[in-house]
Amino acid sequence: MDTPLINLSELSPEALAAFVKELGLPAFRGKQIAGWLSQGATFDEMTNLPLETRKLLATKATTGALRIAGKLQSAIDGTIKYLFDLGDGNFIESVLMKYKYGYSVCVSTQAGCRMGCTFCASAKAGFVRNLTGAEILAQLRAICKDQKISISHIVMMGVGEPLDNYENVLDFIRMAHDPNGMNISYRKMSLSTCGVVPGIERLMEENIPLTLSVSLHAPFQEQRAQMMPVARKYKLDKLLEICNTYTVRTGRRITFEYAMIRDVNDSPKHADELIRLLGSMLCHVNLIPVNAVDGTGYHKAERERIDAFRKRLEDGGVAATVRRAMGRDIEAACGQLRRKAMEDRSEGKATDGDLCKE
Ligand code: SAH
């Protein structure tokens, strides 16, 4: 029986050293391999290893490096959406954004999502599996390698619900922070959740100074539950209670994400209720013109309506900004690239290349 290949990127430094020893290789090879893995290299690219060693490794292991299956670049601001092949028939997306302060990557934390938010493309394509910490990290490695850059900020806002994959996401956060690895400060990481209350409680205990974003989208329990099924389980009052505790305990401001949907949640009544709920909390509201996803029936709120909403919040004492849309011309709202790739696969179309518009 064939022994399954070991994914080297899943191994701790100690486990990698043991693996190298078991193969009868000198210890320094382990260090070399670790260096290459951190750059997202394939065995072929590990040019300072003898050819036989590379061949031997390939019979026993994989590097966990992700293959780029598609890439779309915005002509407006250079934002790049990547589609990665996980090698098991699944695809995931990540987005690279360039800001004045550096490069920020939006990673996926699951292949698909089971939260079922009605406005979201990820929900439509369904849930397949959790990503491991190494698979989340591999997205950063692949992008750094492709662009020859280093990344300063991470946002966990791609496909998936990070707090529905808690252990792996925490592994990822620690690995990305590791001074021997990417060395990204916790303060430059944001984790976005749809409101998984026990996950927020747990995260609060970790004492990791990342930025917590909470997807709110509606200030009324009934309406929120219609848009976000998770709200039936974790009700708005409980969610806001834990958010408030989080800000008090950590001293860190929470960002509330609010997708502005025309004639759904963009009225003055909604703004006033937000003021009532959030007025005394250490927080900030990020208004996002909703990305219209096929089949949802939702449309972007009008610009004047969004501006008036923001002003009403500010006048009521709630800090609010309108999110700058990145990559408008490649607008594949959260999960759309992946959805297309999975549909194409099931229709037997090739994925490779047809999303590439470099
Ligand atoms: N599951 C997490 C993180 C992934 S979604 C969460 O819910 O927060 C990242 C953000 O994109 C969330 O705020 C989500 O509500 C928002 N989002 C999803 N679909 C969207 C759409 N069509 N338009 C605008 N924002 C959307």
Side-chain angles (χ1 to χ4, degrees):
M1 206 179 80
D2 287 345
T3 18
L5 299 178
I6 296 173
N7 180 344
L8 298 186
S9 69
E10 305 273 355
L11 302 184
S12 65
E14 299 74 33
L16 181 63
F19 170 82
V20 164
K21 193 168 173 198
E22 210 162 291
L23 288 185
L25 299 171
F28 75 94
R29 294 285 180 218
K31 299 237 163 53
Q32 287 175 322
I33 295 168
W36 284 113
L37 291 174
S38 71
Q39 294 172 48
T42 60
F43 290 128
D44 279 346
E45 290 163 340
M46 300 187 179
T47 47
N48 58 357
L49 303 184
L51 196 57
E52 315 87 82
T53 306
R54 284 186 252 160
K55 282 194 182 143
L56 173 68
L57 287 168
T59 63
K60 305 276 180 206
T62 64
T63 61
L66 296 175
R67 186 180 72 82
I68 299 174
K71 205 157 98 165
L72 285 173
Q73 178 152 25
S74 162
I76 302 173
D77 53 38
T79 294
I80 304 178
K81 285 183 185 267
Y82 283 90
L83 183 71
F84 292 116
D85 185 347
L86 286 174
D88 64 354
N90 286 303
F91 293 90
I92 50 167
E93 289 180 27
S94 324
V95 182
L96 170 68
M97 291 157 290
K98 185 173 191 324
Y99 291 100
K100 278 196 227 75
Y101 51 75
Y103 287 101
S104 175
V105 171
C106 175
V107 292
S108 290
T109 54
Q110 296 178 310
C113 186
R114 54 178 157 209
M115 297 297 124
C117 299
T118 53
F119 45 83
C120 181
S122 311
K124 299 251 167 302
F127 176 77
V128 185
R129 67 171 176 86
N130 282 329
L131 300 183
T132 64
E135 285 173 325
I136 308 173
L137 189 71
Q139 299 167 50
L140 300 182
R141 288 176 168 174
I143 292 175
C144 290
K145 180 182 168 195
D146 186 51
Q147 297 293 315
K148 302 179 182 60
I149 52 168
S150 49
I151 289 162
S152 59
H153 291 68
I154 302 173
V155 292
M156 285 160 257
M157 280 199 186
V159 175
E161 167 50 47
L163 299 182
D164 185 39
N165 182 18
Y166 191 90
E167 308 285 350
N168 289 330
V169 166
L170 261 284
D171 271 358
F172 160 68
I173 290 171
R174 296 209 167 91
M175 287 190 284
H177 175 72
D178 182 358
N180 296 315
M182 293 222 168
N183 196 17
I184 298 175
S185 149
Y186 288 132
R187 290 174 197 277
K188 294 181 177 173
M189 300 183 190
S190 302
L191 182 150
S192 180
T193 177
C194 60
V196 179
V197 169
I200 299 174
E201 266 166 349
R202 240 176 122 180
L203 189 62
M204 182 167 75
E205 304 298 335
E206 308 275 355
N207 264 323
I208 293 178
L210 51 68
T211 298
L212 181 65
S213 292
V214 174
S215 301
L216 199 57
H217 305 318
F220 302 108
Q221 166 59 23
E222 220 7 78
Q223 187 182 31
R224 190 165 184 271
Q226 275 165 18
M227 296 164 73
M228 307 175 72
V230 67
R232 290 187 213 290
K233 188 158 183 197
Y234 306 116
K235 300 209 164 37
L236 186 58
D237 53 350
K238 289 280 170 275
L239 173 62
L240 293 177
E241 198 180 299
I242 187 68
C243 286
N244 194 46
T245 310
Y246 186 97
T247 60
V248 172
R249 288 268 296 276
T250 63
R252 297 189 63 76
R253 188 173 78 155
I254 288 186
T255 298
F256 288 103
E257 307 287 336
Y258 194 96
M260 297 287 291
I261 310 173
R262 190 190 306 164
D263 299 331
V264 172
N265 63 358
D266 60 347
S267 76
K269 197 175 76 166
H270 285 83
D272 291 345
E273 185 64 4
L274 280 178
I275 294 167
R276 194 179 73 76
L277 296 175
L278 306 179
S280 58
M281 206 188 294
L282 179 63
C283 72
H284 163 259
V285 176
N286 200 3
L287 302 171
I288 312 152
V290 78
N291 282 308
V293 171
D294 285 353
T296 60
Y298 291 134
H299 302 282
K300 271 191 179 54
E302 279 132 28
R303 189 65 215 202
E304 305 82 73
R305 195 101 165 148
I306 299 176
D307 289 340
F309 197 92
R310 189 198 64 78
K311 185 165 184 311
R312 201 172 177 100
L313 289 180
E314 289 272 346
D315 291 347
V318 173
T321 45
V322 179
R323 184 190 286 173
R324 192 172 125 218
M326 295 292 278
R328 262 175 295 129
D329 54 334
I330 53 165
E331 188 184 306
C334 191
Q336 284 196 345
L337 266 188
R338 172 175 180 273
R339 188 179 167 192
K340 180 171 183 313
M342 301 297 271
E343 282 167 5
D344 287 356
R345 257 182 74 87
S346 59
E347 287 164 19
K349 288 190 219 154
T351 302
D352 215 342
D354 65 354
L355 289 165
C356 291
K357 266 210 288 187
E358 273 185 273

